[in-house]
Amino acid sequence: MVPWAVRCCLATVRWLPVVFITAVVAWSYYAYVIQLCIITVESVPEKIIYLLLYHPFLILFAWSYWKTIFADPSPVPKQFYLSDSDVQRFQTAENEEAQRQILAKMARERDLPVQCRTVTGAYRYCEKCKMIKPDRAHHCSVCGTCILKMDHHCPWVNNCVCFNTYKFFVIFLGYGLLYCIYVSLTVLKYFIQFWSGGAGQGMGRFHILFLFFTAAMFAISLASLFGYHCYLSSQNRSTLESFRPPIFRSGPDKNGFSLGARANFQEVFGDNKKTWFLPMFTSFGDGVTYPTRTVDDDSDQLLGQRQRWAEEGDVNSPSGQTRYSAFDNEVVITAPKYM
């Protein structure tokens, strides 16, 4: 057991990247608003335009960053956890095959919607959490628990990027990129003047020089990361799944959860265009059940129900809340809540 003092020290250290980013943003506000717009820029219309365009980028960036940091990670429903007696039986089983049978029986009795398997074909089991892992769930060593649709644990937000936070994380990257690009472009003219020695004196000059370098550097980093996660969203794939494809009864399939680019986008951002790019949770589903394009023994019946709902256009399916989209012959299902 880790001592309490060590845990407190580790928790404090994990907040340092967040404090660093917050300090950089606060300094950039001072450098841009005070040193550039108020002190350096002489044209009043230019000052007003710069400030009017700057603050919406800053607000959206800060809002999405806040949501990414403080949104609760996705906990696994209690139905997936083994009872103390089940854990005892599992740990004292004679062999691996007996353990597989225990997990399979439990999944059937509780009607757990699990399609993913291990390499050996068994249900995925977390030794630390003592639970059957839902599809796309993984154990986070930093959070100390299993997380639904875990993408990765990001030190820059001190939180898990997962089902509850993935949309916030993607738009945080997007608005961060736009913020840095805007600052870089509007500062560029004065950066060139100061760098060539043609204008500016004192410490204000260095604030603007460093502001350009910092914004440009972060823009390059964010562009690659944002582009990568846009690609993952279009494929309905997490970072972990891009390195280790999910395994179904029919075998590994890195595109097993992909329903087509538009449906994949809506699964993360929802179907309301007005809230697509706002830091508001609008993702489909409950983080436990996901439609797949892989047909196997466990999903035959579920896929048959989806086909029937698609043909009938029935939005009140027996599985819970369902969203039916008639584009590209794709069905996007919000699965029953197991929370």
Side-chain angles (χ1 to χ4, degrees), residues 52-53 99 126 161 204 214 240 243 256 260 272 280:
L52 287 178
L53 294 177
Q99 291 181 331
C126 180
V161 179
T214 303
L240 292 175
F243 290 101
N272 186 351
M280 302 168 61

Side-chain angles (χ1 to χ4, degrees), residues 65 76 94 130 200 226 241 260 263 271 282 302 335 337:
Y65 189 45
V76 176
E94 296 179 356
K130 304 296 188 294
F226 178 64
E241 290 166 353
D271 56 0
T282 56
L302 181 58
K337 292 188 177 295

Side-chain angles (χ1 to χ4, degrees), residues 32-69:
Y32 190 88
V33 174
I34 305 299
Q35 293 294 335
L36 178 69
C37 293
I38 296 179
I39 297 177
T40 303
V41 177
E42 297 179 354
S43 171
V44 174
E46 187 177 356
K47 291 176 187 281
I48 295 174
I49 293 173
Y50 279 6
L51 291 173
L52 287 178
L53 294 177
Y54 171 80
H55 283 90
F57 285 122
L58 175 65
I59 292 171
L60 289 169
F61 167 63
W63 184 11
S64 57
Y65 189 45
W66 174 275
K67 294 289 288 186
T68 309
I69 295 171

Side-chain angles (χ1 to χ4, degrees), residues 302-314 316-318:
L302 181 58
L303 289 173
Q305 289 177 335
R306 289 185 199 139
Q307 180 63 30
R308 176 171 57 82
W309 298 334
E311 292 172 353
E312 296 176 357
D314 183 8
N316 296 314
S317 68

Side-chain angles (χ1 to χ4, degrees), residues 261-279:
R262 294 179 65 186
N264 293 340
F265 176 87
Q266 288 191 337
E267 188 169 301
V268 175
F269 293 90
D271 56 0
N272 186 351
K273 295 181 181 179
K274 295 179 180 179
T275 58
W276 275 354
F277 305 116
L278 292 178

Side-chain angles (χ1 to χ4, degrees), residues 34-298:
I34 305 299
Q35 293 294 335
L36 178 69
C37 293
I38 296 179
I39 297 177
T40 303
V41 177
E42 297 179 354
S43 171
V44 174
E46 187 177 356
K47 291 176 187 281
I48 295 174
I49 293 173
Y50 279 6
L51 291 173
L52 287 178
L53 294 177
Y54 171 80
H55 283 90
F57 285 122
L58 175 65
I59 292 171
L60 289 169
F61 167 63
W63 184 11
S64 57
Y65 189 45
W66 174 275
K67 294 289 288 186
T68 309
I69 295 171
F70 294 105
D72 290 332
S74 314
V76 176
K78 296 179 180 179
Q79 289 87 342
F80 289 85
Y81 286 85
L82 274 65
S83 64
D84 292 338
S85 59
D86 289 332
V87 172
Q88 182 66 24
R89 286 196 302 116
F90 180 82
Q91 293 178 341
T92 57
E94 296 179 356
N95 50 48
E96 184 177 338
E97 181 60 30
Q99 291 181 331
R100 290 178 58 175
Q101 294 300 325
I102 292 173
L103 295 180
K105 181 180 178 182
M106 175 183 167
R108 287 194 303 268
E109 291 176 347
R110 301 190 183 186
D111 195 24
L112 300 180
V114 179
Q115 301 182 60
C116 293
R117 300 290 189 269
T118 64
V119 176
T120 61
Y123 284 89
R124 300 187 309 137
Y125 177 74
C126 180
E127 293 282 353
K128 296 181 178 180
C129 296
K130 304 296 188 294
M131 53 161 285
I132 295 176
K133 293 182 181 180
D135 293 343
R136 315 186 81 173
H138 296 275
H139 186 88
C140 177
S141 58
V142 179
C143 296
T145 187
C146 285
I147 303 295
L148 294 178
K149 195 186 177 183
M150 180 178 173
D151 187 274
H152 69 285
H153 188 96
C154 180
W156 298 108
V157 300
N158 192 30
N159 201 358
C160 257
V161 179
C162 56
F163 174 74
N164 281 351
T165 61
Y166 190 69
K167 178 190 174 182
F168 302 147
F169 179 74
V170 173
I171 62 175
F172 151 65
L173 296 178
Y175 285 128
L177 176 60
L178 291 176
Y179 177 80
C180 291
I181 291 175
Y182 175 78
V183 170
S184 299
L185 292 178
T186 52
V187 170
L188 179 60
K189 179 176 71 173
Y190 300 94
F191 167 80
I192 294 174
Q193 292 177 1
F194 292 156
W195 187 261
S196 60
Q201 299 293 333
M203 289 300 297
R205 170 183 179 180
F206 293 101
H207 278 292
I208 294 175
L209 290 175
F210 282 116
L211 179 62
F212 176 81
F213 278 124
T214 303
M217 178 186 67
F218 274 102
I220 294 172
S221 300
L222 288 171
S224 59
L225 192 57
F226 178 64
Y228 178 62
H229 278 279
C230 286
Y231 167 75
L232 291 180
S233 298
S234 69
Q235 301 297 312
N236 203 339
R237 194 184 306 162
S238 68
T239 299
L240 292 175
E241 290 166 353
S242 68
F243 290 101
R244 187 173 55 192
I247 302 174
F248 301 88
R249 290 289 293 273
S250 56
D253 186 357
K254 64 180 181 181
N255 295 317
F257 295 106
S258 180
L259 306 173
R262 294 179 65 186
N264 293 340
F265 176 87
Q266 288 191 337
E267 188 169 301
V268 175
F269 293 90
D271 56 0
N272 186 351
K273 295 181 181 179
K274 295 179 180 179
T275 58
W276 275 354
F277 305 116
L278 292 178
M280 302 168 61
F281 183 79
T282 56
S283 302
F284 286 171
D286 57 3
V288 174
T289 306
Y290 297 90
T292 67
R293 69 186 189 97
T294 302
V295 179
D296 55 42
D297 294 340
D298 288 344

Side-chain angles (χ1 to χ4, degrees), residues 310-332:
E311 292 172 353
E312 296 176 357
D314 183 8
V315 296
N316 296 314
S317 68
S319 66
Q321 293 182 339
T322 303
R323 298 175 187 262
Y324 173 66
S325 298
F327 51 81
D328 299 336
N329 297 320
E330 295 164 351
V331 180
V332 180

